[in-house]
Amino acid sequence: MAEDGSERAPESGAPVPEAAEMPPRPLDSIDRSILRMLQTDGRASIRSVAEHVHVSRANAYARINRLIEDGVIRGFGARVNHERAGQGASAYITLKIVQNSWRTVREQLRALPGAAHIALVSGDFDVLLLVHTPDNRTLRELVLTRLQSMPEILSTRTLLVFEETDLDPEA
């Protein structure tokens, strides 16, 4: 229950573990509506979710828990304005890595301060990394000292972000 007496969707600071290796259950229109609502407002109360999708609170609660258990919902979080949070420099960094070193590189990148997104991709490079740093000096240090000192990273290319816009999940 929240301070105002209303129930809230389950919240956890810890990431939700990945679902077991089983085929995903199909989502119906109610599940998809719940997901859209929680993407827009992860703090929505169970009551407001239930009213929005026209089901009982118990049904909404059970559906949200099933979506969490199935690994569809991986967690709840806040959309951050990085500049206002003191992270005024952002960049996408492309990496070429040693073949078969993905798992090692991924763990090293996860430990980097400011790493926000890591993706193994196809094309001219192997990994796409999004970072947020306080300033360009810190970004330069991250790329030239931290990344380029990793033996599994063969080359990097840094693309500065001048402006970013989060897309509204309802759009």
Side-chain angles (χ1 to χ4, degrees):
M1 289 252 191
E3 289 179 21
D4 63 2
S6 63
E7 296 175 74
R8 296 230 177 259
E11 293 185 45
S12 167
V16 175
E18 293 296 322
E21 292 296 322
M22 53 191 299
R25 283 189 246 192
L27 302 180
D28 63 16
S29 61
I30 294 172
D31 291 331
R32 287 189 293 278
S33 292
I34 289 171
L35 289 173
R36 279 192 302 275
M37 185 172 185
L38 291 176
Q39 283 177 299
T40 301
D41 179 8
R43 294 174 45 135
S45 69
I46 295 291
R47 180 159 121 227
S48 65
V49 170
E51 288 172 1
H52 180 76
V53 300
H54 309 292
V55 298
S56 70
R57 286 192 310 208
N59 188 333
Y61 188 80
R63 283 174 177 266
I64 291 169
N65 279 335
R66 180 180 50 81
L67 291 166
I68 292 168
E69 289 167 9
D70 286 353
V72 175
I73 296 176
R74 297 183 301 168
F76 297 87
R79 290 192 305 253
V80 176
N81 178 326
H82 296 286
E83 193 168 341
R84 304 252 327 141
Q87 302 291 301
S90 297
Y92 286 95
I93 304 169
T94 65
L95 311 170
K96 287 187 182 180
I97 62 173
V98 172
Q99 189 171 7
N100 297 320
S101 66
W102 163 241
R103 286 177 183 82
T104 303
V105 170
R106 179 181 58 201
E107 294 313 308
Q108 292 176 33
L109 296 178
R110 277 184 171 162
L112 287 176
H117 184 83
I118 305 164
L120 179 65
V121 297
S122 65
D124 294 336
F125 49 89
D126 304 305
V127 177
L128 183 62
L129 170 66
L130 172 61
V131 296
H132 303 287
T133 62
D135 51 40
N136 282 340
R137 180 179 298 231
T138 308
L139 176 61
R140 182 177 145 252
E141 179 71 17
L142 184 128
V143 173
L144 296 180
T145 304
R146 301 284 298 267
L147 290 176
Q148 292 184 357
S149 70
M150 294 179 193
E152 299 86 358
I153 295 178
L154 301 173
S155 67
T156 65
R157 176 174 285 163
T158 304
L159 308 165
L160 292 177
V161 174
F162 295 126
E163 183 177 318
E164 55 187 324
T165 302
D166 287 334
L167 300 179
D168 184 352
E170 297 246 324

